[in-house]
Amino acid sequence: MNTMTPDRGVLRAAVALACRAPSAYNAQPWRWRADHDALHLHADRSRSLRSADPGDRELLLGCGATLHHMTTALAVLGWNTAVHRLPSSADPDHLAAIRFTGRRAPGEYDDAVLAAIDARATDRRPYSGRPAPPGSLAAMAAVAREHGAEAWVVVGEHRDVLTAAFAAAAAIQSGDDAYRAELAAWTGRGIHARDGIPEVSAPSSGLRYGEMVMRDFGAPARLHRRWASPEELGQLVVVGTVADDRSSRLRAGEAVSAALLTAELHGLAASPLSQALEVPRTRDVVRWEVLDGKGFPQLVLRVGVRPAGSLPPLVTPRRPVAEVFEQTVGEPVGVRDTRG
Ligand SMILES: Cc1cc2nc3c(=O)[nH]c(=O)nc-3n(C[C@H](O)[C@H](O)[C@H](O)COP(=O)(O)O)c2cc1C
């Protein structure tokens, strides 16, 4: 890296913050690499969820989320950036090249954004039953749109169809041995794990909110309640895109990251939910009968207000920076076109 690019310490701090991004099963399916004038995001397909996500759609969502976390972190650390998505036709796993376009002056909300990245965690517990303020949901939708996706709040009969799709998908997946084995391999981790879902972060096994079934991580019921009302589920927001290609999925991940950080900044609890979108038949139901064909559903977000006095959820572990980040010296990457 030259003097117009961040030094190694800043890059390491930015990678640590970028890795706070959410990913399915906390698989963290990404690698970061810096060369002398750019920072590169690569998919790590050794961390694909071959059963739940055979097409690597959710892998791209997670990578989009870390990409958005990265550019947000770099901005807070004083750097403006330009992103070239999918820069190499020869290497489909090279998902983004980030170039540094100059120094950025400190912003009024930088501390709050940094705190939001640090504190955000998937909250799978029952919420208060009070709806999230419409202004907060509108702010989430606005940032999703800025990143190339839509975020639709689903209500009424559409919500009933959506919750039924989750129940149907859960029933289908529960009969799939490969799915169950993969889920078991990524969950119930102890406190020293660096990836996967810790037992304390999982909902009780079999938890449902009226008709809505949560993904069953097999956690014992002593941790949280097993039964909750539909109101305690909170609001359901579907993040979707006009197209369903790799670029759209990457951008949807960026939009999810922006929406979740916005929820955190507004003091709301949130949890991504994807089971209904992992089964082709139920994903089609969501596309046609919930979104009325307006877009391809990429991820559902549950959003709500935490019960008064409840502590924020525990933050989950991440792999160490040294494992996901390398600095290489080499020829200039020659990324000139930043329109991607
Ligand atoms: C694409 C995607 C799909 C996810 N699907 C689910 C899900 O179905 N159920 C769930 O409880 N959490 C889901 N999550 C949340 C992840 O499990 C969570 O982000 C990860 O364990 C890291 O934890 P954190 O969000 O608390 O940092 C999903 C996240 C992403 C990005």
Side-chain angles (χ1 to χ4, degrees):
M1 290 257 157
N2 57 44
T3 52
M4 285 312 294
T5 57
D7 64 27
R8 190 174 168 80
V10 171
L11 286 175
R12 287 179 59 83
V15 170
L17 289 164
C19 289
R20 294 303 320 155
S23 59
Y25 291 9
N26 197 19
Q28 305 162 51
W30 50 66
R31 285 190 298 109
W32 286 99
R33 178 174 61 82
D35 61 21
H36 85 285
D37 71 348
L39 188 54
H40 304 271
L41 170 63
H42 296 264
D44 180 350
R45 286 187 197 277
S46 69
R47 296 177 160 266
S48 290
L49 304 174
R50 293 185 208 292
S51 176
D53 182 34
D56 282 335
R57 190 182 60 80
E58 292 185 49
L59 177 143
L60 284 171
L61 291 175
C63 288
T66 193
L67 175 59
H68 174 263
H69 265 56
M70 175 59 90
T71 53
T72 305
L74 286 168
V76 169
L77 294 170
W79 291 89
N80 287 318
T81 52
V83 178
H84 187 183
R85 293 168 187 80
L86 306 177
S88 166
S89 52
D91 179 4
D93 289 343
H94 188 187
L95 298 181
I98 301 175
R99 295 187 73 230
F100 302 95
T101 55
R103 298 309 309 267
R104 172 183 171 275
E108 189 183 347
Y109 301 109
D110 286 358
D111 288 348
V113 170
L114 211 50
I117 290 177
D118 261 341
R120 186 213 57 80
T122 297
D123 195 338
R124 300 183 178 86
R125 301 169 298 182
Y127 302 158
S128 71
R130 271 184 298 131
S136 299
L137 296 173
M140 291 173 68
V143 295
R145 182 169 288 176
E146 271 169 34
H147 290 86
E150 296 288 335
W152 291 284
V153 181
V154 176
V155 295
E157 285 172 13
H158 286 97
R159 179 173 158 124
D160 296 340
V161 176
L162 183 58
T163 55
F166 270 93
I172 291 168
Q173 288 186 323
S174 69
D176 178 341
D177 290 344
Y179 164 83
R180 287 208 314 270
E182 184 177 76
L183 182 67
W186 284 101
T187 53
R189 301 281 177 94
I191 52 169
H192 297 299
R194 301 178 308 186
D195 53 15
I197 300 187
E199 192 177 80
V200 289
S201 302
S204 306
S205 180
L207 175 66
R208 50 192 311 150
Y209 296 81
E211 293 306 305
M212 179 70 175
V213 180
M214 294 288 101
R215 194 192 292 278
D216 196 336
F217 294 101
R222 70 184 153 77
L223 292 176
H224 304 297
R225 291 157 49 188
R226 270 193 86 153
W227 300 100
S229 70
E231 291 73 32
E232 289 171 303
L233 179 63
Q235 273 127 314
L236 295 177
V237 176
V238 179
V239 176
T241 46
V242 172
D244 198 25
D245 53 11
R246 299 177 75 243
S247 167
S248 301
R249 293 169 174 184
L250 191 64
R251 284 179 182 276
E254 295 175 65
V256 162
S257 164
L260 289 175
L261 290 180
T262 299
E264 181 69 32
L265 285 164
H266 284 238
L268 296 174
S271 169
L273 299 170
S274 52
Q275 259 189 304
L277 310 182
E278 290 169 358
V279 174
R281 198 190 328 152
T282 50
R283 188 176 184 221
D284 271 351
V285 168
V286 178
R287 181 181 172 202
W288 294 112
E289 296 177 32
V290 176
L291 300 186
D292 295 327
K294 284 181 291 197
F296 290 87
Q298 300 294 356
L299 195 62
V300 177
L301 303 179
R302 197 189 142 211
V303 187
V305 178
R306 265 181 213 112
S310 79
L311 293 170
L314 294 177
V315 295
T316 49
R318 292 296 187 271
R319 292 189 290 157
V321 168
E323 209 177 280
V324 293
F325 176 53
E326 63 169 338
Q327 195 153 17
T328 55
V329 202
E331 291 302 306
V333 286
V335 179
R336 297 287 172 258
D337 181 355
T338 55
R339 290 168 299 171

